């Protein structure tokens, strides 16, 4: 049953047991579904009246442009994630987002959010949870840049991606298909592409993980978690936390 | 009138025009108000059934502990900010928070959030906005660590604090009272205390800003903004964005 649900529904169901009424309202978040080509800019920093999207298939990334033309990738989005939620909550978008692969995504308007909150407060809590979880991931990326070695950063980042994907039914404990380039990894981890290459080789030679031909393989996930001091609690993705009303 | 409101009400009013009914419900977020001494740990990473707080007076900080005992400060909280919102939304708190000064703060329970969302959907949107704004700040701190020079980091961080404080009626364009030590600044900016000292001296000698005797003075705010490429749009604190219902 769960596999028939959209990735967003599946993700939010990790937090609240959604009622049939909640699910009907959530379905409205999926009605304007479109395909976008690789590289399509979905959200533009500084744009007013922007859109948000719910990602159904493929990968996207959110980033900030610096005055010198450099870019800092803040996070990647995988199926079930919101893209550009702040661009409909804020007057102008504080970041940009683009498609990393060909994607399928549904546009969400500010009115969809407001209407759904008015009709389904539990769904509102679940959206707040999803946004807070996104923030918890940005916090970990900040810790990556501020405090972790290059090996630790890579290990932590890949373990996070693996856990996020498993929540929406993609990949498993052995690994996941990953469309990212070494330039993407360099950009999000604050390393040079050459350094990324060296780190990946080192992790492979140590028998911890392999990233080859578009696939991340966890060769020894226990030791990889130990290296990164990876504690997945910040992803908060166990059994539903809020039971069904009356349950 | 606005100055009689709590800092949180004042902040959320920058986003939505809150109705008298919304204000009544928001008042419940303030009913369990207590004082805490400097250094009191309000939220503990890994803790279940934690509390969140609304800060009314003083400063707090949120941080992550690393396995080697090092700490990465993620952000500071000023009056009107939530402390540890994720510790009531998540099964276990993904971060810690402590009082930087003596503070006054009101405890908020998960049920306060759920009940308020059920009764005041516009307030739910405002809380989602506040959480998203917190995320936008963490994104800027990530960009600080990843892409900005030491001078730029300090300038950007102080301009952000100044803007946040002005939203809740503290400080003005000339500066603000700041209880942070050079160790706090080093920790949040990813610099050594010695480097912080050097950066502050440099900014002062350049006539841009001075941090002395617990006060940050913006000596030339236009040039300071230029140095940091500071664009306050990510703080989203103009006139109310969502007008009153029926307005």
């Amino acid at each position: 049953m769960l596999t028939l649900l959209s990735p967003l529904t599946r993700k939010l169901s990790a937090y609240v047991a959604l009622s049939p009424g909640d699910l009907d309202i959530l379905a409205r978040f999926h009605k304007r579904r479109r395909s976008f080509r690789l590289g399509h800019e979905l959200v533009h920093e500084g744009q007013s009246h922007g859109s948000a999207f719910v990602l159904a298939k493929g990968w996207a990334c959110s980033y900030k442009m610096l005055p010198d033309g450099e870019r800092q990738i803040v996070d990647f989005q995988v199926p079930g994630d919101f893209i550009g939620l702040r661009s409909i909550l804020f007057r102008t978008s504080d970041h940009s987002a683009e498609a990393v692969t060909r994607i399928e995504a549904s546009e969400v308007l500010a009115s969809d959010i407001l209407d759904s909150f008015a009709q389904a407060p539990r769904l509102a809590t679940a959206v707040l949870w999803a946004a807070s979880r996104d923030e918890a991931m940005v916090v970990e990326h900040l810790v990556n840049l501020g405090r972790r070695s290059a090996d630790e950063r890579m290990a932590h980042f890949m373990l996070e991606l693996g856990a996020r994907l498993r929540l929406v039914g993609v990949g498993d404990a052995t690994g996941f298909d990953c469309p990212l380039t070494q330039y993407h990894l360099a950009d999000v981890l604050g390393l040079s592409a050459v350094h990324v290459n060296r780190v990946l080789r080192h992790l492979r030679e140590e028998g911890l993980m392999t990233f080859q031909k578009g696939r991340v393989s966890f060769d020894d996930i226990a030791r990889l978690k130990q290296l990164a001091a990876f504690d997945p609690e910040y992803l908060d993705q166990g059994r539903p936390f809020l039971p069904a009303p009356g349950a």
Side-chain angles (χ1 to χ4, degrees), chain A residues 73-162:
Chain A
I73 292 181
V74 174
D75 201 4
F76 294 93
Q77 288 78 43
V78 297
D81 287 342
F82 285 105
I83 301 170
L85 193 57
R86 290 198 300 280
S87 74
I88 56 172
L89 290 168
F90 287 9
R91 291 159 188 82
T92 61
S93 179
D94 70 311
H95 66 288
S96 301
E98 70 176 32
V100 166
T101 63
R102 180 178 178 79
I103 63 168
E104 291 187 24
S106 306
E107 192 179 356
V108 176
L109 309 178
S111 57
D112 293 323
I113 299 279
L114 285 171
D115 293 351
S116 69
F117 280 23
Q119 292 166 45
R122 288 165 60 83
L123 189 56
T125 317
V127 171
L128 177 62
W129 170 81
S132 298
R133 190 171 169 269
D134 287 347
E135 183 183 350
M137 289 185 236
V138 178
V139 166
E140 287 295 335
H141 297 175
L142 181 148
V143 174
N144 272 346
L145 295 184
R147 301 288 173 184
R148 293 193 183 109
S149 73
D151 281 10
E152 290 165 358
R153 287 180 204 190
M154 180 69 76
H156 201 280
F157 179 71
M158 289 301 191
L159 287 165
E160 175 183 290
L161 278 176

Side-chain angles (χ1 to χ4, degrees), chain A residues 175-197:
Chain A
F176 57 90
D177 293 336
C178 178
L180 303 181
T181 65
Q182 298 200 345
Y183 296 100
H184 286 123
L185 294 175
D187 200 340
V188 73
L189 298 177
L191 304 170
S192 69
V194 172
H195 202 171
V196 163
N197 213 10

Side-chain angles (χ1 to χ4, degrees), chain A residues 35 38 72 81 86 137 165 174 193:
Chain A
S35 293
L38 184 161
Q72 173 71 52
D81 287 342
R86 290 198 300 280
M137 289 185 236
L165 287 164
T174 69

